[in-house]
Amino acid sequence: MSKKKGIQTSDNMINDEDYEYEKELAEQERAAREREKQLYEEALEEKKRQEKAAEKEREKRLQEERLELMKLKSGVISEEDSTIKEEHEEKTVLHGKAWLANFVYHYKFMIIFVVFIIAVTTFITIDTLSREKADLTVIVIANNGLETRTKELEEFFEKYTEDFDGNGYVHVDVIAAPQGPDTARYLGQDANNTKLMAYLQEGKAIFFVTDSNTDIEFMQLMTPALPLDFPDSKYVDEDGMSWNFGFLADELKYANMPNDIHLSMRIPAKTFGDSKETMQKNYNKSLKVFKAMLEDLEKKAEETNDKGLETEPIKYDTSSSESSSDSKKDK
């Protein structure tokens, strides 16, 4: 039995060799890490030493420059004898494509802005020059389909308009900006509001074509005094001149024209773009057109025994929009 205990197998010998080999590798790795750490610490110390030496040298140089500067100021030495010289950075002069690329790089946002302004200005200028100068401006805010007859309305108004600007021809500019109680009904309603607000800031637009659906806020801008100027006319009331004529619907090519349309006139007032005096002059010119139109329509109505229009005003169902707004308020 004792002989069996003293026997050493080949497996035990292999395990001992592996252990010794792994132990040697671990010692080598530890020694390598220690060496790396030592080298790092030595490099760090050398860097600190160099930075300290450089700082000391810089301080020494600054001190010497201060002393020399004091000598210069006190006149002990001249500028020719001084070692302090003004340094000038050599400027690189660019040419051609390099200059253009550098300019675009530094001023690209300004270039974009300037190009945008030039484009807008060019568009406005071309649009202004290409558009006929108007002797009269009419805004259609009636929301009943008449706003689609701008060409017919222009020809109708031009019959009663004079060459106010003296350029040799008569032109009336009719602007469609329909308004109504149901703002969601019209696509582009926001654009119409913007257009209308722009013209309200000027004093040239006196005539407004309205109807019974026109918002009260707009009607408050119109003069209610026209019945005083035309007391004998049954076609003039506080809203303006009634267009309740059958023959007029035929002339404007609008067979279903409602009988509540009026030609209203805006009260002269100071605006953002014009003075009250300027607007009053435009009002007086428009009043001449109003008078000529009224006299002609009354004459035709009498000659044709016109019975007026049978089409009732358009009624908009605003209950859905009102309930929607009420629900939003409740929220």
Side-chain angles (χ1 to χ4, degrees):
M1 296 292 291
S2 60
K3 290 182 180 181
K4 289 183 180 181
K5 288 183 180 179
I7 296 174
Q8 190 175 27
T9 64
S10 59
D11 291 339
N12 292 335
M13 293 177 64
I14 292 173
N15 290 336
D16 292 342
E17 290 176 359
D18 289 344
Y19 172 76
E20 292 297 330
Y21 177 71
E22 291 177 359
K23 182 178 180 182
E24 184 179 352
L25 287 179
E27 288 294 332
Q28 290 177 359
E29 186 177 351
R30 184 185 62 78
R33 285 200 300 268
E34 289 291 335
R35 181 58 180 167
E36 288 178 1
K37 182 179 179 182
Q38 182 180 359
L39 291 175
Y40 173 76
E41 290 177 350
E42 290 176 356
L44 191 61
E45 288 295 328
E46 179 62 21
K47 182 181 179 181
K48 290 181 179 179
R49 187 189 65 78
Q50 290 178 359
E51 289 178 350
K52 188 174 182 180
E55 181 67 20
K56 187 175 181 181
E57 182 64 26
R58 191 178 72 85
E59 288 292 336
K60 180 181 178 182
R61 180 164 47 82
L62 288 175
Q63 184 64 24
E64 290 175 352
E65 289 180 357
R66 291 192 194 98
L67 292 173
E68 191 166 344
L69 188 60
M70 291 176 63
K71 290 179 181 180
L72 275 171
K73 290 183 178 180
S74 61
V76 175
I77 60 175
S78 63
E79 292 184 5
E80 290 78 9
D81 299 330
S82 174
T83 59
I84 301 176
K85 303 297 181 182
E86 185 177 359
E87 296 181 359
H88 297 278
E89 183 180 353
E90 186 177 352
K91 294 184 178 179
T92 303
V93 180
L94 301 177
H95 301 280
K97 293 182 178 179
W99 177 88
L100 181 61
N102 182 68
F103 181 82
V104 172
Y105 176 79
H106 286 92
Y107 300 100
K108 54 190 171 190
F109 294 110
M110 184 180 294
I111 292 172
I112 293 172
F113 176 74
V114 171
V115 170
F116 173 76
I117 294 298
I118 292 174
V120 172
T121 305
T122 302
F123 172 80
I124 292 174
T125 303
I126 293 174
D127 183 65
T128 302
L129 294 176
S130 60
R131 184 191 300 171
E132 284 188 276
K133 190 175 181 180
D135 296 284
L136 198 70
T137 300
V138 180
I139 312 296
V140 181
I141 58 178
N143 193 356
N144 53 28
L146 185 62
E147 69 277 2
T148 63
R149 307 305 201 275
T150 54
K151 181 181 178 182
E152 290 79 6
L153 285 169
E154 286 181 358
E155 293 175 354
F156 172 66
F157 274 94
E158 286 171 357
K159 293 192 305 179
Y160 310 104
T161 304
E162 301 177 17
D163 182 14
F164 291 123
D165 55 15
N167 60 359
Y169 64 88
V170 173
H171 175 63
V172 175
D173 198 6
V174 175
I175 308 298
Q179 307 292 314
D182 187 2
T183 56
R185 178 178 182 269
Y186 258 84
L187 292 175
Q189 185 72 31
D190 290 340
N192 289 333
N193 288 336
T194 302
K195 189 190 304 181
L196 178 58
M197 291 301 114
Y199 277 99
L200 288 176
Q201 297 305 318
E202 299 178 354
K204 64 181 180 180
I206 303 297
F207 279 142
F208 286 77
V209 179
T210 62
D211 62 8
S212 58
N213 292 302
T214 302
D215 195 288
I216 186 64
E217 292 183 2
F218 291 124
M219 293 308 300
Q220 288 175 349
L221 301 176
M222 312 302 162
T223 177
L226 288 172
L228 299 178
D229 295 325
F230 305 95
D232 299 328
S233 177
K234 63 179 181 179
Y235 295 103
V236 178
D237 55 33
E238 291 184 351
D239 292 334
M241 181 197 308
S242 173
W243 278 4
N244 187 14
F245 302 100
F247 61 87
L248 182 56
D250 295 334
E251 183 174 352
L252 297 178
K253 300 178 182 179
Y254 188 17
N256 296 322
M257 185 166 135
N259 57 20
D260 63 334
I261 297 175
H262 279 76
L263 178 62
S264 305
M265 294 187 67
R266 187 178 169 197
I267 301 172
K270 185 182 183 305
T271 65
F272 182 78
D274 288 307
S275 64
K276 182 179 180 179
E277 291 73 21
T278 299
M279 193 171 178
Q280 184 65 56
K281 292 179 181 179
N282 294 331
Y283 181 91
N284 295 338
K285 293 176 183 178
S286 300
L287 189 61
K288 292 176 66 176
V289 176
F290 188 97
K291 181 180 179 181
M293 183 185 296
L294 177 62
E295 291 176 351
D296 184 57
L297 293 178
E298 286 179 331
K299 182 180 178 182
K300 287 181 179 179
E302 184 177 353
E303 291 174 350
T304 61
N305 193 26
D306 189 83
K307 302 299 182 181
L309 297 166
E310 296 181 358
T311 307
E312 293 296 320
I314 295 177
K315 300 296 182 182
Y316 295 110
D317 182 13
T318 59
S319 58
S320 59
S321 59
E322 288 175 358
S323 61
S324 176
S325 62
D326 291 339
S327 62
K328 289 181 180 179
K329 289 180 181 179
D330 294 339
K331 291 181 180 179

